[in-house]
Amino acid sequence: MASFKAFLNSPVGPKTTHFWGPIGNWGFIIAGLVDTQKPPEMISRNMTSVMCVYSALFMRFAWMVQPRNYLLMVSHASNETVQLYQLSRWAKSQGYLQKKAE
């Protein structure tokens, strides 16, 4: 009970935005995972690229902010992974990642 109470009142506990911000970010990740089932022609190169930059910037922010926000770091690293996968699907569908004939 004491450890739960300590977590509840910690600087990154559920009473702070350091907790709820990363929880909300999982919506981006879930949406990206759902989109992996859609055809690559539906992927927006611009939006996916923006999401990659957004997550990269916020990963750095999560590392630099005090106290360090590991929940935010993990959520943005997960989103970066999903968005890079989506970007690779788009690039393959556009013919950018095909092997060259020798």
Side-chain angles (χ1 to χ4, degrees):
M1 184 67 169
S3 62
F4 178 73
K5 195 170 190 174
F7 168 69
L8 200 61
N9 295 317
S10 76
V12 292
K15 292 182 179 179
T16 68
T17 58
H18 285 278
F19 179 81
W20 291 108
I23 298 301
N25 279 335
W26 281 98
F28 291 131
I29 300 155
I30 292 167
L33 289 171
V34 168
D35 286 348
T36 61
Q37 303 304 311
K38 295 179 181 176
E41 297 80 31
M42 294 184 70
I43 297 171
S44 168
R45 176 193 58 155
N46 292 339
M47 190 63 209
T48 304
S49 299
V50 166
M51 290 298 287
C52 286
V53 171
Y54 161 80
S55 283
L57 290 172
F58 270 90
M59 278 191 289
R60 183 178 188 286
F61 171 79
W63 186 256
M64 299 303 288
V65 71
Q66 292 299 321
R68 282 201 174 134
N69 194 333
Y70 297 110
L71 289 173
L72 188 63
M73 178 79 166
V74 168
S75 70
H76 282 292
S78 300
N79 189 42
E80 185 76 18
T81 303
V82 169
Q83 297 303 324
L84 287 172
Y85 173 69
Q86 289 290 77
L87 203 55
S88 72
R89 288 182 61 224
W90 174 84
K92 284 178 188 174
S93 75
Q94 298 297 311
Y96 291 116
L97 298 179
Q98 294 179 0
K99 291 185 179 182
K100 295 180 182 177
E102 294 183 36

